[in-house]
Amino acid sequence: MIISKNTELRTISDLGNKTVALQERFSLTHLWSVVELYLAGILQQTRGIIVNSHKEAVNSVLSELCDAAAIFQDARNLVLAENPFIFRNTHIIHYTQPIPHDAIVTKIELDQNLVISIKRAFEFVFSSVQGSIYFDRLFGWKGITEADDSKFSLLDQYISIYSDIMNTD
């Protein structure tokens, strides 16, 4: 989550009674942000504004429409061209644990040789400096890893907490 440098907010707990730009409800960023606010004990006191993109979230802090914005790291790069001082004018108030997302899955019916080729293609592109930069700029990916269901246990926990939150409102 980012905030303006021109604020006295310092921790996620300071966001009680503040306005936070949240991603649309079907994104992991939304789910994660709501749960993080809940775990900080301030969800009920926080006013969430739904935005359509990470760029819009960043701009909502710059325009002072919102006190904070939940974004992927680091979505501030999305406005760097039009706002070269974005990193001076904002700072990160809260990091989450790494969010398992953007899983690349294949159909069970696919030929295993094709599945291996797809996996190797991603590994090959990501192993180059240019490929890593591309994935980082386009998706905010800092790396790729082979995963099994155990890599998503934190996601399962957050989905359960989010579900409980939504069922009590």
Side-chain angles (χ1 to χ4, degrees):
M1 291 190 190
I2 63 164
I3 57 172
S4 170
K5 287 264 183 171
N6 301 328
T7 181
E8 294 180 14
L9 304 172
R10 293 294 169 249
T11 70
I12 190 171
S13 297
D14 295 335
L15 294 177
N17 298 314
K18 301 296 180 188
T19 303
V20 179
L22 299 169
Q23 299 303 309
E24 49 90 17
R25 287 186 168 88
F26 300 106
S27 74
L28 273 180
T29 305
H30 176 85
L31 179 145
W32 227 262
S33 305
V34 168
V35 172
E36 294 283 319
L37 292 167
Y38 172 79
L39 294 175
I42 59 165
L43 179 62
Q44 296 303 321
Q45 297 84 35
T46 304
R47 180 171 173 246
I49 303 254
I50 302 298
V51 295
N52 295 314
S53 68
H54 292 276
K55 184 175 182 177
E56 186 179 348
V58 172
N59 283 326
S60 73
V61 170
L62 292 174
S63 67
E64 298 180 357
L65 175 67
C66 293
D67 298 294
I71 58 171
F72 73 83
Q73 178 163 355
D74 195 336
R76 294 180 292 177
N77 285 311
L78 298 172
V79 302
L80 188 58
E82 61 237 38
N83 190 331
F85 303 108
I86 183 66
F87 289 96
R88 273 194 241 160
N89 295 335
T90 60
H91 70 269
I92 297 169
I93 192 170
H94 180 73
Y95 289 97
T96 67
Q97 295 181 47
I99 302 172
H101 60 90
D102 296 335
I104 301 165
V105 295
T106 58
K107 288 180 146 186
I108 196 87
E109 302 88 26
L110 277 183
D111 177 75
Q112 283 307 299
N113 289 329
L114 179 56
V115 172
I116 290 168
S117 294
I118 292 169
K119 177 182 154 191
R120 286 186 180 147
F122 273 96
E123 290 170 342
F124 176 76
V125 172
F126 210 94
S127 70
S128 73
V129 172
Q130 284 183 317
S132 294
I133 291 170
Y134 172 79
F135 278 115
D136 184 30
R137 287 188 181 157
L138 188 61
F139 301 114
W141 290 6
K142 303 299 181 199
I144 59 172
T145 185
E146 192 166 341
D148 57 31
D149 289 347
S150 68
K151 297 284 186 190
F152 294 89
S153 62
L154 184 60
L155 176 60
D156 292 339
Q157 291 172 18
Y158 271 52
I159 288 171
S160 177
I161 294 168
Y162 184 82
S163 193
D164 289 346
I165 293 166
M166 294 299 114
N167 289 329
T168 58
D169 285 345

